[in-house]
Amino acid sequence: MAQTTVKIYTPTTPIWCPGCGDFGVLASLKKALSDLQIKSKDTVIVGGIGCSGSIHNNLECYGIHSLHGRLLPTAVGVKLANPQLTVIAAGGDGDGYAIGAGHFLHTLKKNPSIIYIVMQNGTYGLTKGQPSPTAQVGYEGNVDLPFDAILTALSIPSTTFIARGFSANQAQLTDLMKKAISHSNSNEGMGFLEVLSPCVTYNDTYKEWREQVYDLSTEKDYNPHNRLLAFTRVSEITNQGKIPTGLVYSGRVKSLEENTLSKEKGPLALQDISLESNLPKYEQILNDFR
Ligand SMILES: Cc1ncc(C[n+]2csc(CCOP(=O)(O)OP(=O)(O)O)c2C)c(N)n1
Ligand code: SF4
Ligand SMILES: [Mg+2]
């Protein structure tokens, strides 16, 4: 009989610098998972490469440390194999918006029911402070205007949940995490949450971000279910030098699982692949190669 060796790893203490914004993201994520009563055994976190990409080491759950920029296809594979799991991809802005930019766009387009948390700090923290795609002009010689992931996501017609939080605003961030997780766990598609998460060592933006953040929920006329109005209003606020936060958009488009998975067969990961039940099929496969 086949044997599986299981080793349980206990969560480690984060290796982040004291004051790193990623601590706030971790605290909110823990609280959101616990408030929603999502069990460790049903949670998979796929980390990127970068300081932020080690977040899964600090939580009791299944964790995969993916390749740089490849966390989204990995997370989609996990979700398609077993849609009953809570699948969270979590990584940095360099990981998601530079080397992983192609996957970012196409995963938004395909709308799998995973949660994607990007810890945005305007820098490549782990490799000691080179400008990332969200870096401000002037930062370490950067001359490019910053990439805006929220406006990009809004411009893709199949996105179904877009939000931005700030690691220094725990109440708002936890609420957005819960909303993003609930959205994707209802199999309604991807919960995309960008978090402003300052790198205190190479790009300490706490002070300016505290002054710039603008909570969309304070606007009574803001309608997060109207993509066109959301795009217009978020663009206006951004052009005024503010950073819109809160629930930016939520809508309904078929998810990747709805579009691709067979309802009759059930999840791939839960199929019976035992030798006893499948011997004739395996023999047929071997015969085909003879
Ligand atoms: C294929 C590949 N290219 C480059 C690197 C080097 N590298 C490691 S982390 C990183 C950038 C991380 O930046 P970000 O994703 O923003 O994460 P942060 O450290 O800021 O949280 C780079 C370029 C790598 N590990 N693999
Ligand atoms: S280098 Fe920056 S991003 Fe990395 S742990 Fe330190 S403060 Fe956080
Ligand atoms: Mg970064």
Side-chain angles (χ1 to χ4, degrees):
M1 204 177 93
Q3 293 259 318
T4 310
T5 308
V6 177
K7 183 168 179 187
I8 306 286
Y9 292 88
T10 44
T12 55
T13 308
I15 51 165
W16 301 318
C17 311
C20 176
D22 297 350
F23 283 101
V25 182
L26 177 63
S28 271
L29 181 56
K30 272 189 192 166
K31 173 119 179 59
L33 288 167
S34 145
D35 286 358
L36 294 173
Q37 299 187 329
I38 296 172
K39 297 197 172 92
S40 302
K41 73 169 185 62
D42 298 325
T43 308
V44 181
I45 303 188
V46 184
I49 299 294
C51 298
S52 47
S54 65
I55 194 165
H56 59 283
N57 294 338
N58 314 309
L59 274 153
E60 205 172 298
C61 63
Y62 289 100
I64 303 175
H65 208 161
S66 184
L67 295 175
H68 197 21
R70 303 292 179 257
L71 77 177
L72 285 173
T74 312
V76 172
V78 175
K79 187 70 188 185
L80 289 181
N82 190 354
Q84 293 166 9
L85 298 172
T86 297
V87 181
I88 302 170
D93 51 339
D95 190 277
Y97 307 156
I99 191 169
H103 293 301
F104 176 57
L105 298 182
H106 286 279
T107 312
L108 288 171
K109 177 171 166 283
K110 287 188 174 294
N111 197 31
S113 299
I114 61 169
I115 299 108
Y116 183 32
I117 300 169
V118 175
M119 284 156 267
Q120 203 269 82
N121 54 13
T123 189
Y124 291 167
L126 187 76
T127 47
K128 298 189 182 295
Q130 302 82 11
S132 70
T134 53
Q136 293 302 311
V137 172
Y139 173 72
E140 294 293 330
N142 176 46
V143 291
D144 303 332
L145 286 167
F147 173 75
D148 192 319
I150 298 293
L151 288 173
T152 303
L154 272 172
S155 74
I156 298 178
S158 46
T159 46
T160 50
F161 183 99
I162 304 167
R164 186 189 270 135
F166 182 25
S167 60
N169 184 344
Q170 284 289 291
Q172 181 199 44
L173 184 56
T174 307
D175 179 56
L176 293 173
M177 292 254 181
K178 286 202 235 179
K179 288 192 166 99
I181 295 171
S182 302
H183 177 83
S184 72
N185 277 4
S186 311
N187 287 333
E188 289 186 6
M190 182 154 149
F192 169 50
L193 174 59
E194 179 182 272
V195 187
L196 304 169
S197 180
C199 168
V200 290
T201 301
Y202 297 109
N203 190 26
D204 191 349
T205 45
Y206 268 117
K207 191 171 170 295
E208 60 210 71
W209 281 353
R210 274 186 213 282
E211 286 159 12
Q212 285 175 292
V213 286
Y214 179 92
D215 187 348
L216 292 167
S217 71
T218 58
E219 265 188 26
K220 82 175 168 12
D221 293 336
Y222 186 78
N223 180 358
H225 307 298
N226 183 322
R227 187 185 293 274
L228 184 63
L229 290 183
F231 193 93
T232 309
R233 187 63 193 128
V234 167
S235 303
E236 278 170 4
I237 297 165
T238 308
N239 289 345
Q240 288 159 6
K242 298 274 179 196
I243 308 176
T245 63
L247 176 62
V248 173
Y249 176 75
S250 95
R252 181 77 181 108
V253 173
K254 272 190 175 177
S255 68
L256 178 64
E257 311 86 75
E258 283 177 281
N259 278 329
T260 57
L261 290 184
S262 145
K263 285 198 177 62
E264 293 77 49
K265 286 187 182 160
L268 191 62
L270 304 181
Q271 301 293 312
D272 176 10
I273 54 165
S274 67
L275 190 58
E276 300 75 38
S277 328
N278 292 286
L279 198 55
K281 281 190 209 154
Y282 292 144
E283 277 173 348
Q284 182 60 51
I285 293 169
L286 286 175
N287 280 336
D288 289 348
F289 283 98
R290 285 196 175 111

